[in-house]
Amino acid sequence: MSSTIPARAGIGLRSPHHQDALLSPVRTGWLEVHSENYFGQGGIPLRDLEAIRADYPISLHGVGMSLGSVDELDRQHLRQLQNLIQRIEPGLVSEHLSWSSFGGRYLNDLLPMPYTDETLTHLTARISQVQDYLGRQLLIENPSSYLEYGFSSYSESSFINELAQRSGCGILLDVNNVYVSCVNHGWNALDYLSDIAADKVGEIHLAGHAVKTVGEQSILIDTHNAPVSDAVWQLYQTAIQHLGNRPTLIEWDADLPAWQVLVAEAATADRYLEQAYVQAA
């Protein structure tokens, strides 16, 4: 099986669906896993992933590198990721534009960064170190956020573009995150998408979110526990009109549905990709 990730829909693979991926007669284009779940030297999860890799291209998506932290990069983490890359030969490797550790203590969250020149210099150096170590490009995912830093000097989209330009990383554009952050902060989602450097985007994510109401105010939460909303599907159509077709992942991490529900979500993304291809032809 080629390692190349096709420009069609894939599914975020979680352990309850390993056997479905191996045995289901309905094939999706590709699968993505969280890298850290396979850092062990053996065991059932890694054995399953190696068997699945024989049938599907695989993308590795990290959640624990804490690129934005001021702690030193975790060399053991990088070694384990490098070993997994050599073992699985993924088509894409990605991480988050976030921080989650301080003083060696890790938080169970992906916390946003202030968009300043200082942050840009810090992240450029960190991403360059990781890419040099791994010998390959990282895709960096835009965050979902609920509060803004008052002293940011870049918009999120322009910051991500500049980071990609300086570090050589690619962009993983999470359309659900764009929608969540834009609604929460009053940003214009269409302006955000039109500003993103199309040639830097290597992958798209789609997921579900929830609405939480506190008093008279509502906020969107990036929960990954529901189908993609109609508003996010509409924004996705706009995104691929701007970007062209890109590998598109259906993420679902909590309250997991049956495998066929995920296959159906991926099929919807594939229909939008096919429509975009026909319109562009």
Side-chain angles (χ1 to χ4, degrees):
M1 173 62 65
S2 169
S3 64
T4 302
I5 305 297
R8 55 173 299 197
I11 291 173
L13 179 67
R14 307 299 174 249
S15 57
H17 290 141
H18 280 188
Q19 291 306 306
D20 293 299
L22 286 166
L23 302 175
S24 173
V26 179
R27 295 295 186 187
T28 185
W30 55 287
L31 299 172
E32 184 167 275
V33 298
H34 287 160
S35 309
E36 292 83 0
N37 290 337
Y38 302 91
F39 276 2
Q41 294 302 305
I44 293 174
L46 190 56
R47 187 169 68 242
D48 283 350
L49 183 60
E50 289 180 318
I52 291 164
R53 175 66 184 88
D55 292 330
Y56 298 90
I58 295 290
S59 175
L60 296 179
H61 186 50
V63 296
M65 198 175 290
S66 192
L67 283 169
S69 174
V70 295
D71 290 350
E72 290 188 9
L73 287 167
D74 186 334
R75 296 293 171 178
Q76 181 180 3
H77 184 107
L78 290 177
R79 284 193 297 272
Q80 290 173 308
L81 178 57
Q82 179 69 293
N83 290 339
L84 184 62
I85 289 171
Q86 292 174 350
R87 193 164 191 164
I88 298 301
E89 297 181 336
L92 297 170
V93 179
S94 56
E95 252 292 349
H96 291 83
L97 178 63
S98 66
W99 67 278
S100 54
S101 65
F102 180 74
R105 292 179 177 271
Y106 278 80
L107 304 170
N108 189 27
D109 209 340
L110 300 168
L111 299 169
M113 307 290 298
Y115 299 134
T116 64
D117 286 320
E118 184 179 16
T119 306
L120 192 55
T121 298
H122 178 66
L123 280 169
T124 296
R126 301 264 286 187
I127 292 169
S128 296
Q129 288 180 56
V130 172
Q131 291 181 144
D132 288 346
Y133 182 88
L134 298 178
R136 64 181 298 154
Q137 184 187 55
L138 279 181
L139 302 182
I140 302 299
E141 179 182 339
N142 57 293
S144 58
S145 57
Y146 314 109
L147 294 171
E148 294 183 79
Y149 289 90
F151 54 90
S152 289
S153 53
Y154 291 82
S155 69
E156 185 170 282
S157 54
S158 62
F159 183 90
I160 292 170
N161 286 343
E162 186 65 22
L163 181 62
Q165 181 64 35
R166 293 192 190 187
S167 69
C169 73
I171 298 171
L172 193 171
L173 183 67
D174 190 311
V175 175
N176 184 64
N177 287 359
V178 171
Y179 182 76
V180 166
S181 296
C182 286
V183 170
N184 287 342
H185 305 315
W187 303 342
N188 187 302
L190 297 181
D191 288 346
Y192 189 117
L193 290 181
S194 65
D195 191 41
I196 286 290
D199 62 325
K200 302 295 186 183
V201 177
E203 182 182 341
I204 292 173
H205 275 186
L206 298 171
H209 60 262
V211 181
K212 184 174 181 63
T213 301
V214 180
E216 296 181 354
Q217 293 187 320
S218 294
I219 188 169
L220 302 190
I221 306 294
D222 181 36
T223 51
H224 293 193
N225 70 341
V228 179
S229 71
D230 290 342
V232 172
W233 280 124
Q234 292 173 15
L235 198 59
Y236 173 60
Q237 292 177 73
T238 301
I240 56 179
Q241 287 170 4
H242 168 54
L243 304 171
N245 285 13
R246 294 291 189 276
T248 299
L249 186 81
I250 301 297
E251 281 193 299
W252 201 314
D253 294 313
D255 304 326
L256 286 174
W259 177 250
Q260 293 302 324
V261 173
L262 299 178
V263 171
E265 288 278 279
T268 299
D270 271 332
R271 286 195 294 273
Y272 286 126
L273 288 167
E274 290 165 5
Q275 290 172 12
Y277 177 80
V278 169
Q279 291 169 1

